[in-house]
Amino acid sequence: MRVALVHSFGGLTGSGARDADEAVLDQAVALGGAGHDVRLVAAGLGRDPLSALRAFAPDVVHVHQLAPGSGRAWAAEWTGPLVVTLPEPGPARARWLPFPRGPRGGARTDPLLRRADRVVVLSDLGRETYERAGLPPERITVLPHHVPAAERSPGGDVWVCAGRLAAGENIFDLVRRWPAGRRLDVFGTGPLEQACRAAAPASVRFLGAVGRPALRRALPGHRGLVLPGRWRAGTVPRLYPEALAAGLPVLAFEGSAAPRTVRADGTGTVTGWDAPLAAALDAADRIFPALREHCRGVHAKRYGEAAWAERVERLYDELTATAPPAP
């Protein structure tokens, strides 16, 4: 099958832009490994993908994230199967998400969403949000991004946290509450780095920013992942399935989508900002070692490359079975 992946490579903004680019590249590798002919097509301001699509003549066009202001009218001229993946509905994107009452008129007037044969969302929360926004439920498919498997490790006694050291990520709130003597590795940099270093006990190590491959290699040797973020009310970070791939259970703080996912998957524990952190860590110390294999199983079933490829192939096959020839 010939598949075109359309995405604004390098044209997105915000802390999740690089993750979005890497997710599309990972999916291209997965589809290619499954035997499909994959073409990456750049789109964005001043980049109309229609001519490139017509030259490639794919069986399926799968649009991922487009930068705000990107042209979308070309979708009305494409007659072949069209899939659109929507981002998780977090507050940072609220100003341009395709809600019916949004500034662009939303799903009813957006030419890309109006034309899409199927809309892919990354979580059940995303499905609920976009259904409320006006997308027909029968056109929505939940399909989380996949992440590569990681090497096995028995783990250790050091916790890990990763993210931008900035307001909203809550890593400052985490490290200033972190119990002295408990070891924590923090990956990331940002404007609050000096404040975080000053507030943290000596048992917290700040390891700077690393690329995702290096972070994935580092995860398996830790006790568990701490997810303190609470400003991304609608998102589960990509770090979550990466931790599961490494066999790491998750300690999630209330106030985001992560606790709901952790509870549903049975992949860790949840605590609140008003609860004693030392007690939450003690409870996790008792149960997390026994959860490592379960976390790997959840990754393989929900977020693994083979599982993702099988699900997306079923989606593509369903759409191409009755589709007219591409232009």
Side-chain angles (χ1 to χ4, degrees):
M1 184 181 298
R2 296 162 69 86
V3 181
L5 302 181
V6 181
H7 181 70
S8 291
F9 292 99
L12 302 175
T13 59
S15 59
R18 180 177 295 180
D19 285 358
D21 291 350
E22 291 179 351
V24 178
L25 295 175
D26 284 346
Q27 292 178 17
V29 171
L31 288 168
H36 301 286
D37 185 4
V38 181
R39 179 75 54 86
L40 297 174
V41 178
L45 293 174
R47 290 181 174 178
D48 186 334
L50 193 58
S51 59
L53 293 176
R54 285 174 171 162
F56 180 51
D59 299 294
V60 174
V61 172
H62 192 152
V63 181
H64 289 266
Q65 292 193 40
L66 300 182
S70 299
R72 294 164 174 256
W74 61 267
E77 299 184 48
W78 186 258
T79 59
L82 181 65
V83 180
V84 176
T85 290
L86 290 178
E88 286 284 73
R93 298 186 176 106
R95 67 184 183 276
W96 62 271
L97 278 178
F99 286 179
R101 292 178 296 278
R104 288 209 323 257
R108 288 192 288 264
T109 60
D110 186 301
L112 184 62
L113 295 179
R114 190 170 62 244
R115 168 62 184 83
D117 299 295
R118 194 66 54 87
V119 173
V120 171
V121 297
L122 306 180
S123 68
D124 290 332
L125 181 61
R127 174 196 284 275
E128 294 170 7
T129 302
Y130 285 110
E131 283 183 5
R132 290 196 301 271
L135 284 177
E138 65 275 11
R139 287 204 289 134
I140 300 176
T141 295
V142 177
L143 184 62
H145 289 323
H146 79 277
V147 299
E151 292 185 5
R152 288 180 174 268
S153 169
D157 63 354
V158 184
W159 291 82
V160 65
C161 178
R164 182 166 166 75
L165 307 185
E169 294 281 356
N170 296 316
I171 294 178
F172 173 77
D173 289 336
L174 175 69
V175 298
R176 72 186 180 92
R177 289 174 169 83
W178 194 259
R182 293 274 193 171
R183 298 172 66 191
L184 172 69
D185 286 344
V186 177
F187 290 91
T189 59
L192 294 183
E193 181 172 353
Q194 291 305 314
C196 288
R197 288 179 179 273
S203 57
V204 177
R205 293 195 305 172
F206 292 88
L207 301 177
V210 298
R212 298 215 79 84
L215 179 60
R216 289 168 178 170
R217 289 193 297 271
L219 289 176
H222 290 84
R223 166 60 52 86
L225 172 71
V226 184
L227 288 180
R230 55 187 170 190
W231 69 274
R232 293 174 180 167
T235 64
V236 176
R238 197 170 181 216
L239 188 57
Y240 172 72
E242 289 173 329
L244 301 189
L248 263 63
V250 177
L251 173 62
F253 279 77
E254 294 282 10
S256 73
R260 173 177 176 172
T261 303
V262 168
R263 290 187 179 106
D265 290 343
T267 50
T269 57
V270 174
T271 190
W273 288 99
D274 296 330
L277 182 53
L281 293 172
D282 287 340
D285 282 338
R286 292 191 294 270
I287 66 174
F288 274 24
L291 282 178
R292 294 180 73 90
E293 196 60 34
H294 172 72
C295 289
R296 293 188 187 98
V298 172
H299 165 262
K301 183 177 180 180
R302 294 199 60 189
Y303 305 103
E305 181 176 301
W308 179 87
E310 180 181 349
R311 289 195 291 268
V312 81
E313 283 173 338
R314 286 201 301 266
L315 171 60
Y316 292 168
D317 287 342
E318 177 184 339
L319 295 178
T320 56
T322 58

